[in-house]
Amino acid sequence: MRATFHLKTLTVAIATLSIASITNAAGLDRSGQDITAFLQDGTYAEAVYTYIDADVSGYDSANNNPLDNSYVRGNATGDIAESYDFFRYGVKTDINDTFSIGVLYDEPFGAAAEYKGDNNFVANTNPADSVGEFADDEQPSGPLGNAIIGAEATTAGENTKVEVRSENLTAILGMKLGANKNFQIYGGPVAQRVKSDVKLRGLAYGPATSYTSHISPDQDYGWLAGISYSKPEIALKAALTYRSEIDHSMNIYESYPLAPTLSGGALPPTQVTNMEITTPKSVNLDFQTGINPTMLATAKVRWVPWSDFSITPPLYNAASKNPVSRPDGLNLVDYEDDQWQVELGLAKRIAPALAVSGTVGWDSGAGDVTTSLGPIDGYYSVGLGAKYNVTPEWAVSAGGKYLWFGDAKGQLPTGKIVGDFQDNDGYILGVKLSYQGK
C-alpha cells in the first residue's frame, strides 16, 4: 500500500530550512526574496531575523600609480566586512478554497563594508606619507600626483566605507486552478525603497580619492508573478516566481574634490542631481517532495542578472570621461556575470513537535575580478536548523549556516587591481517565530 505523506506534518520540518537560507550572495543580493510564506496552507504568519557576520580580508596593492594597472602585494586590509542584519515578515490567508492573499516584507539588497588600519583604502593623516608612497613610482608626478595628495588630505584619516539598504513590500493574490486545486497562479505589486552611502578614501582610488556620495531614500514600484503546483499525497510543492526590474529615479549628493582638475574646470567639486538605478529582475524556483512520511527533500534555485546592473553617479561618471579612451565614462559599480544560486536540503521530523534540517549550497558569484567595495566571488555553504512547535499552531525555529567565500581581486572601474582577497569565510544565524492555523 502506498504511503500518504501528510504535508502539514512535514512542513514542520521544511520550515526550518528557510531561516538562514540564500543570504549574502552575489552582487548586492541579501534576502533571496523568498516567498514560501505565501505557499503555506491555511492562515500563516512569520517573523524572521537574520544576522550575517563575514570575515573578508586581503592585501592592498603597493602600486599607487593610477596609470599602471599591475598588482603588487602590499599591506593587509584587515576584516572589511561589517556585520549585517535584516528582518523578513510574511502573512497569508485563504479567502476561500480558490483565492489566497498575502503580504511579504523583506530587505532584498544591501552592502556593508569598511576598510580600517594601515592600508591604501584609508586616507593618510600626513600628506608627507602619501608623497613617500609615490616616491618609487615614475608616475603620477607633478600636477596629478600633487592633486591626488591634496584631495586625500581633505579627508585625512577617514576610511573607505559603503552601506546600501533596501526594503520590499509585496502584496500577492493567488488563484487555485484545476479540479483538485493543484495549480495556483499568483502575482501582485511590489514597493521598493533604496538608499546608500559611499566614501572612497586613500591612495588606492587615485584621482577618485575622497569621493563621497549619498543617495536619499527613494521608493518605486515593480511586480511579481508566479505559478505553483502541489500534490499533498506526497508532500510535493513546486513554485516558479519572477520578480520584475524596478526603476528608481533618486536624488544624489556627490563630492569629488578632483572633478574640476580632471575636467579642466568644467565640473564642480560637489553637486546634487538626479540618478537612475534599476534593481535587477530575478527568477526563483522552490521545490520540495516527501521521501517518506517523516522526511522531506528540498531544492532552491535562484537567478539574478547582475551583469545588467550598474550604479552610475553623474559627477563620478562625468569626471571619468575621456573623449578617446572613455567617451561614456565609468560606472561606480558593475558586475561581469549573472548570479546562479543552488541550495539542496533534507528535513527530518524526529518527534511530534521537533524537526531538524540540513542544507548544502553554492553561489556562482557575479565575477572575479569584482568591485573593491564587495570583494567576494560566490561561496559554498552548509547549514543546520531546528524547529519546535510550542503549540500545534505556534513554533520557534533557529538555524545557522557556514560559508566559504570564493577568492576575488578588487578592481577599480578603471581596470586597476587594488586588492587581493583569499581564504575568507562567514556565518549566518537566523531565528523565526511562526503561526499556522486552518
Side-chain angles (χ1 to χ4, degrees):
M1 183 174 67
R2 188 179 65 178
T4 297
F5 300 164
H6 298 290
L7 178 61
K8 195 164 185 179
T9 302
L10 286 169
T11 301
V12 172
I14 188 56
T16 66
L17 293 169
S18 62
I19 299 169
S21 66
I22 306 201
T23 45
N24 206 70
L28 300 176
D29 212 19
R30 284 298 178 268
S31 74
Q33 298 182 296
D34 186 276
I35 69 143
T36 53
F38 180 74
L39 302 177
Q40 302 302 315
D41 293 330
T43 296
Y44 180 82
E46 68 177 22
V48 184
Y49 171 77
T50 302
Y51 175 83
I52 302 172
D53 193 350
D55 183 350
V56 180
S57 58
Y59 294 88
D60 69 7
S61 177
N63 172 19
N64 292 302
N65 182 357
L67 305 178
D68 179 1
N69 290 347
S70 60
Y71 174 78
V72 179
R73 181 167 168 169
N75 294 340
T77 65
D79 181 11
I80 72 167
E82 299 278 276
S83 61
Y84 190 98
D85 62 354
F86 57 88
F87 289 89
R88 188 177 82 234
Y89 306 102
V91 61
K92 172 262 178 185
T93 192
D94 296 328
I95 299 173
N96 52 40
D97 64 353
T98 299
F99 292 99
S100 302
I101 56 172
V103 177
L104 307 177
Y105 168 88
D106 73 323
E107 301 177 29
F109 307 121
E114 183 174 11
Y115 289 86
K116 301 175 183 177
D118 181 18
N119 58 73
N120 288 330
F121 300 98
V122 178
N124 285 317
T125 56
N126 185 350
D129 294 335
S130 297
V131 173
E133 293 187 46
F134 276 142
D136 296 330
D137 295 324
E138 294 183 12
Q139 292 178 318
S141 60
L144 178 58
N146 291 335
I148 292 173
I149 293 169
E152 184 191 39
T154 65
T155 55
E158 294 186 10
N159 304 328
T160 293
K161 185 173 183 178
V162 59
E163 183 172 14
V164 179
R165 286 278 184 176
S166 66
E167 299 173 286
N168 267 18
L169 188 64
T170 305
I172 306 178
L173 174 65
M175 182 174 67
K176 295 181 175 67
L177 305 171
N180 297 317
K181 307 293 185 181
N182 293 112
F183 289 93
Q184 180 177 217
I185 56 173
Y186 53 89
V190 179
Q192 185 177 88
R193 187 176 176 87
V194 178
K195 63 179 180 179
S196 78
D197 287 280
V198 174
K199 296 180 179 179
L200 306 183
R201 302 292 185 262
L203 295 178
Y205 294 101
T209 186
S210 298
Y211 172 83
T212 301
S213 70
H214 169 71
I215 296 177
S216 301
D218 174 79
Q219 182 169 302
D220 272 290
Y221 303 91
W223 53 274
L224 166 154
I227 184 170
S228 67
Y229 172 78
S230 66
K231 190 173 183 180
E233 308 93 84
I234 57 171
L236 186 150
K237 281 187 177 182
L240 187 66
T241 307
Y242 172 86
R243 286 181 179 267
S244 73
E245 296 179 337
I246 298 181
D247 297 323
H248 292 267
S249 180
M250 50 188 56
N251 292 327
I252 177 171
Y253 163 83
E254 296 178 86
S255 173
Y256 197 146
L258 281 192
T261 302
L262 297 173
S263 65
L267 295 173
T270 63
Q271 69 176 27
V272 177
T273 52
N274 186 265
M275 180 178 70
E276 307 290 330
I277 290 180
T278 299
T279 55
K281 60 190 175 185
S282 65
V283 177
N284 282 26
L285 173 65
D286 295 280
F287 176 83
Q288 69 170 56
T289 187
I291 298 175
N292 60 48
T294 63
M295 184 173 288
L296 203 64
T298 66
K300 290 175 176 284
V301 180
R302 177 168 166 83
W303 171 76
V304 186
W306 285 107
S307 61
D308 296 336
F309 174 82
S310 65
I311 300 176
T312 312
L315 183 58
Y316 181 94
N317 175 261
S320 69
K321 287 183 178 179
N322 181 297
V324 176
S325 60
R326 290 194 299 263
D328 297 325
L330 297 172
N331 303 316
L332 177 61
V333 174
D334 55 24
Y335 299 97
E336 291 184 345
D337 300 330
D338 294 347
Q339 170 198 0
W340 283 95
Q341 191 175 70
V342 179
E343 185 174 86
L344 305 176
L346 285 174
K348 171 71 174 177
R349 179 169 55 84
I350 59 176
L354 179 64
V356 295
S357 63
T359 63
V360 293
W362 168 78
D363 186 291
S364 68
D368 178 28
V369 294
T370 187
T371 170
S372 64
L373 303 178
I376 293 172
D377 184 25
Y379 64 73
Y380 290 94
S381 70
V382 294
L384 294 172
K387 178 179 178 181
Y388 180 73
N389 271 68
V390 181
T391 71
E393 293 81 22
W394 289 94
V396 177
S397 307
K401 181 185 289 185
Y402 183 80
L403 307 100
W404 294 267
F405 295 127
D407 299 341
K409 290 182 172 61
Q411 183 184 60
L412 302 185
T414 60
K416 180 177 176 62
I417 303 296
V418 292
D420 187 19
F421 300 83
Q422 300 183 20
D423 302 323
N424 292 309
D425 58 8
Y427 66 88
I428 303 169
L429 300 174
V431 62
K432 173 164 69 175
L433 176 66
S434 62
Y435 170 87
Q436 186 166 25
K438 295 181 179 180

